[in-house]
Amino acid sequence: MFLNDEEYEQVLALIDGRAPKSPLLQELTLWVKQEFNVDIYDYICDKTKNGLTRLRIVVWDYTVAGRFRNGANYDIKKQRKFQVEFSELARKYGIHPEYHKADTVFVCFETIRDQIAGKTLWNLKDHIYALQKDDIWKITIIFESVHIFYETDAQIAAHEADGTSRMLKGTITGIVRTYDRYQVFRDGVPCVFTSHQTLNEKYKGSMFFYTR
């Protein structure tokens, strides 16, 4: 699940210091840091599609979010700690009355890094797509990575060997780095090198099947 545009801008405003943290968020942030040694950036109160009261905690990335999971599911004990703490804080500050009963709250975690990365690349797509020439059939942005399609599989190997792919990755990273104010691409922009031939042979020429 992604943050919607309003939620996304609110989180960035908090990160940038353009919006003040509420007393509840300040205290919750401190508690999470002490309890789990994790930074949080916001919380969002809403409902699930079936009407369940939901608390969405915004953390940096999937690695951090994974610390609150036990395999494929959320860690129930950690969820419970958030339920209790948030309910206590909501009562303390006299807000979010529907969250005053801890047992009725479903806790989940959102990430912000991937959305920053995806939006950064998308905002620069014209500059990135302008690199399409010579053996490159297509360049496209998928989530937070850039996919470069050469015409043939043989060209993938040839351009890895002659340094063309390395140069392209460096050029794309250079384009993005100037605008990467949150340093989400400090290790470079992830680039996937594939081919039109592979798309046709393995995915029936469909970008929809390729991205699944």
Side-chain angles (χ1 to χ4, degrees):
M1 181 172 48
F2 284 100
L3 302 172
N4 63 38
D5 289 343
E6 183 179 352
E7 293 164 348
Y8 176 79
E9 292 302 330
Q10 172 65 16
V11 173
L12 289 192
L14 287 166
I15 291 174
D16 294 340
R18 293 181 283 111
K21 287 185 177 181
S22 68
L24 191 157
L25 179 57
Q26 291 181 39
E27 196 162 340
L28 182 65
T29 300
L30 181 60
W31 174 79
V32 175
K33 187 69 173 179
Q34 293 173 338
E35 185 73 21
F36 302 106
N37 194 29
V38 164
D39 293 316
I40 67 169
Y41 300 95
D42 200 3
Y43 69 85
I44 298 163
C45 295
D46 65 5
K47 299 278 188 180
T48 64
K49 289 183 179 179
N50 60 2
L52 190 66
T53 300
R54 178 169 60 187
L55 174 66
R56 296 157 63 200
I57 302 295
V58 182
V59 298
W60 183 242
D61 60 15
Y62 292 121
T63 299
V64 176
R67 295 176 61 177
F68 298 102
R69 288 188 172 274
N70 186 0
N73 300 313
Y74 285 118
D75 187 312
I76 296 175
K77 292 181 180 178
K78 291 178 180 178
Q79 279 184 308
R80 180 60 181 168
K81 287 183 177 182
F82 272 94
Q83 287 176 318
V84 172
E85 182 66 20
F86 191 83
S87 294
E88 290 179 355
L89 290 174
R91 291 195 300 271
K92 174 181 177 179
Y93 290 105
I95 56 176
H96 307 310
E98 65 274 33
Y99 290 78
H100 289 188
K101 293 183 179 180
D103 291 341
T104 66
V105 178
F106 171 67
V107 180
C108 62
F109 299 85
E110 300 283 3
T111 59
I112 188 66
R113 182 203 172 277
D114 52 317
Q115 285 192 247
I116 294 173
K119 286 180 180 290
T120 299
L121 291 180
W122 189 249
N123 288 339
L124 296 169
K125 66 182 185 303
D126 290 344
H127 299 283
I128 294 170
Y129 291 170
L131 299 174
Q132 182 177 324
K133 59 182 180 179
D134 300 328
D135 292 339
I136 300 173
W137 170 71
K138 183 181 184 70
I139 298 177
T140 190
I141 294 166
I142 301 175
F143 301 118
E144 53 188 292
S145 61
V146 178
H147 292 240
I148 295 97
F149 291 79
Y150 293 118
E151 283 289 353
T152 67
D153 287 352
Q155 289 168 346
I156 300 173
H159 290 315
E160 180 179 359
D162 67 18
T164 298
S165 296
R166 183 174 62 254
M167 180 189 69
L168 277 168
K169 177 180 171 66
T171 300
I172 292 169
T173 295
I175 290 170
V176 172
R177 184 160 286 155
T178 303
Y179 300 91
D180 186 17
R181 57 185 298 192
Y182 302 101
Q183 296 188 318
V184 296
F185 294 114
R186 67 177 62 187
D187 296 324
V189 175
C191 292
V192 177
F193 294 94
T194 184
S195 74
H196 192 191
Q197 178 184 348
T198 293
L199 183 70
N200 287 332
E201 292 177 355
K202 293 186 177 180
Y203 303 98
K204 300 180 181 179
S206 170
M207 290 298 296
F208 175 80
F209 291 141
Y210 176 79
T211 57
R212 294 303 103 186

